[in-house]
Every structure is written in C-alpha cells, then in structure tokens.
Amino acid sequence: MKPKLTIVKIGGNVIDNPELLDSVLADFAKLENAKILVHGGGKLATRLGEKLGIEAKFHKGRRITDQAMLEIAVMSYAGGTNKSIVAKLQALGVNAIGLTGADGNLILSEKRAVKTVDFGFVGDVRKVDSEALRNLIQCGFVPVFAAITHDGKGKLLNTNADTIASEIAIACSDFFDTELLYCFEKPGVLANSEDGDSVISLLDAELYQRLKAENKVHSGMLPKLDNCFRALENGVSVVKVGSEKLLSDQNSGTKIQP
Ligand SMILES: Nc1ncnc2c1ncn2[C@@H]1O[C@H](COP(=O)(O)OP(=O)(O)O)[C@@H](O)[C@H]1O
Ligand SMILES: CC(=O)N[C@@H](CCC(=O)OP(=O)(O)O)C(=O)O
C-alpha cells in the first residue's frame, strides 16, 4: 500500500486574514502523514504592486503578467508570503522548506502561447519531479510551494496556485495515496454563492455541469473545480474544497466525486 500524502492549497483570502492563516497552519502542522502546502496570494501581490506604482491587469479575472508584474509576483509569492509561512510552520515544529518550481527543478513549465489574449509571463505546468519531492519528504522536509515555476531556460513564470496543487497531487500519485484539499474563505462549493449555508456535500461532474449552466458556479471556482476533476481523473484518491475546517473535520466542505 502506498503511504498517504496530503496536499493542501490555501488561497489569497486565507493568507490575507492572519487569524485564519494561523488556524490553517496549526491544523496543517497536526497532520501526521506526509504533506505539502501550496499557497497563492494574488491579492497581496496586487497590493504590493499598487504600493510600487504598478497596476494589476486582468482579463476575465485572470492576471496578465508583464515583466513588472512578474517581478512583483516573485517578490510577493516566493519572497514575503512564502518565507513568512515557512517561519510560522517552523514555529509550529514543522520542518518546512520554501520552494518555487525552479528550486531543484521541481516544477518545469512552459510560457503560455499567445492565442487571443497575451497573458504574459504565465507558465503552464509540464513536469513535476515527484521523485525529488519524495526524496525531500523522506528526508523529513515539508515542502511549501509558492505560485512560481520556471521554463528551464532561465525565466521564472507566474503559475496559478490551484493548478500547481493539482499537478503536484497527480505527479505524486506515482508514489503516494494522494489527497488534495483546497482551503478558501467559504465553507465549500455553494449552491448559492452568497449563502454560506448552502454547501454541496458531494459534487460530481454532472452536477458541476448543471451548476455551471445555471451560473451558480463562476469566477475563481471554475478553474478550481476543473483542477479538482482533472486530479481525480489522473490518480488522485480524494479531492475536497472547503474552509480551514477541511483539515480537522472529515465531514466538512465539498467532496468532489469522479
Ligand atoms: N458556487 C460557489 N461556491 C463558492 N464560491 C464560489 C462559487 N461560485 C463562485 N465562487 C467564488 O469563487 C471564489 C474562490 O475562487 P478563488 O478566488 O480563485 O479562490 P482562492 O482564494 O483559493 O484563490 C470564491 O471567493 C467565490 O467568490
Ligand atoms: C497565473 C496565475 O493565475 N497566477 C496567480 C498566482 C497566485 C494565485 O494563484 O493566488 P490565489 O490562489 O490567491 O488566487 C496570480 O498571479 O494571481
């Protein structure tokens, strides 16, 4: 039997709320099996850009990463955010090691080709080195990934944190029984995105299509759920979306069904 590996992704709204962040990290520290943390932090990067006079640009909710924004993203995700999360985990007794995809060539990606929109320096993941990750975990390290990868030719690329988490989970399924948990600021996938009491406990592909058609699932939840289904179709055992409670309560949030 393969050992269990839990991959937890935390989004920008969790990182932005110090109490929520501390609570997620405390629960993450308590997980006894092998684990990896992946974090976003888009909102913080937007604010850092504003302070430096660089305005964030989006197309249909997705960031456009020009050279100036790439520098902000690297400073923010791989710098301040990543290192402060690592320090907090160290204080909780977790031997966290902060990483981008460039470190140890762990995540190789390719700059997105320009079709109708030029997203700039955005990377689509091509390869995750699951063997190197396994070695790090076996040495006792807990990898903490920022949303930055590289192209192998010297260029760092901004990469969606939800996608990094699902690609890591898929690749690590070679060696581990993988569980992928997406923690964000709401209690799960909601039947009505404004009503926190409308959590859908089980979501399959058919229900997802219906919710999409009815516009009940929209914006950031669409790529998140696409990543969830892709993970389940590619060897990941368990995928859930929910609040910080996902880490401590088995029955919390939304379980995604293949
Ligand atoms: N049906 C839904 N249930 C819950 N959230 C939804 C739903 N539809 C859209 N959303 C939106 O999706 C957002 C989560 O996506 P995103 O902002 O990308 O997450 P993260 O904080 O993990 O980066 C929520 O803040 C919410 O506004
Ligand atoms: C290419 C791309 O989408 N990059 C994201 C990376 C950060 C991220 O994913 O942050 P959240 O998880 O907080 O949304 C961005 O710059 O917004």
Side-chain angles (χ1 to χ4, degrees):
M1 219 176 71
K2 293 175 187 171
K4 184 174 171 183
L5 172 69
T6 302
I7 297 103
V8 177
K9 188 265 169 169
I10 53 175
N13 286 316
V14 173
I15 295 165
D16 239 9
N17 179 333
E19 280 141 42
L20 198 52
L21 178 62
D22 286 347
S23 145
V24 177
L25 296 182
D27 287 334
F28 180 77
K30 286 184 203 144
L31 293 177
E32 283 174 6
N33 52 273
K35 54 199 172 188
I36 294 176
L37 187 71
V38 179
H39 64 82
K43 292 198 168 146
L44 250 85
T46 299
R47 284 207 302 274
L48 177 63
E50 277 165 8
K51 279 188 204 158
L52 297 174
I54 292 154
E55 195 197 332
K57 297 179 206 90
F58 294 89
H59 175 78
K60 292 190 177 164
R62 289 173 186 248
R63 189 187 303 279
I64 295 184
T65 309
D66 58 15
Q67 179 58 34
M69 186 44 75
L70 178 68
E71 286 168 23
I72 299 288
V74 173
M75 269 189 257
S76 182
Y77 308 153
T81 301
N82 186 266
K83 298 310 156 198
S84 63
I85 290 174
V86 167
K88 280 174 186 283
L89 285 171
Q90 287 290 345
L92 291 163
V94 175
N95 198 5
I97 180 166
L99 298 164
T100 69
D103 298 288
N105 194 21
L106 287 167
I107 309 174
L108 191 66
S109 63
E110 193 177 336
K111 184 177 177 295
R112 188 169 304 159
V114 179
K115 289 182 188 154
T116 45
V117 184
D118 184 358
F119 282 99
F121 296 107
V122 165
D124 292 320
V125 176
R126 291 290 171 255
K127 189 175 185 295
V128 174
D129 189 344
S130 54
E131 220 170 310
L133 272 175
R134 180 184 61 171
N135 291 340
L136 277 173
I137 291 168
Q138 281 176 347
C139 287
F141 292 111
V142 173
V144 176
F145 276 95
I148 298 290
T149 59
H150 77 141
D151 69 356
K153 293 179 269 183
K155 189 76 191 169
L156 292 169
L157 294 168
N158 182 10
T159 302
N160 183 272
D162 286 355
T163 306
I164 290 185
S166 65
E167 293 296 333
I168 288 175
I170 290 168
C172 288
S173 297
D174 290 345
F175 303 114
F176 293 95
D177 180 21
T178 46
E179 173 185 55
L180 174 60
L181 306 178
Y182 283 107
C183 291
F184 74 131
E185 80 284 8
K186 297 198 170 165
V189 182
L190 305 171
N192 169 359
S193 60
E194 303 306 312
D195 177 4
D197 289 330
S198 66
V199 177
I200 297 165
S201 48
L202 267 183
L203 178 71
D204 62 15
E206 199 187 318
L207 179 56
Y208 176 39
Q209 292 309 326
R210 198 159 8 114
L211 291 171
K212 235 186 343 190
E214 291 166 1
N215 211 22
K216 288 183 174 155
V217 163
H218 51 84
S219 52
M221 190 48 72
L222 292 169
K224 198 185 289 301
L225 287 173
D226 290 339
N227 276 304
C228 291
F229 285 106
R230 187 177 139 68
L232 286 171
E233 284 156 15
N234 289 280
V236 178
S237 299
V238 175
V239 180
K240 290 182 186 170
V241 175
S243 70
E244 78 290 356
K245 293 200 179 73
L246 274 186
L247 300 189
S248 55
D249 177 1
Q250 283 283 327
N251 298 318
S252 131
T254 301
K255 184 164 192 239
I256 315 298
Q257 289 277 86

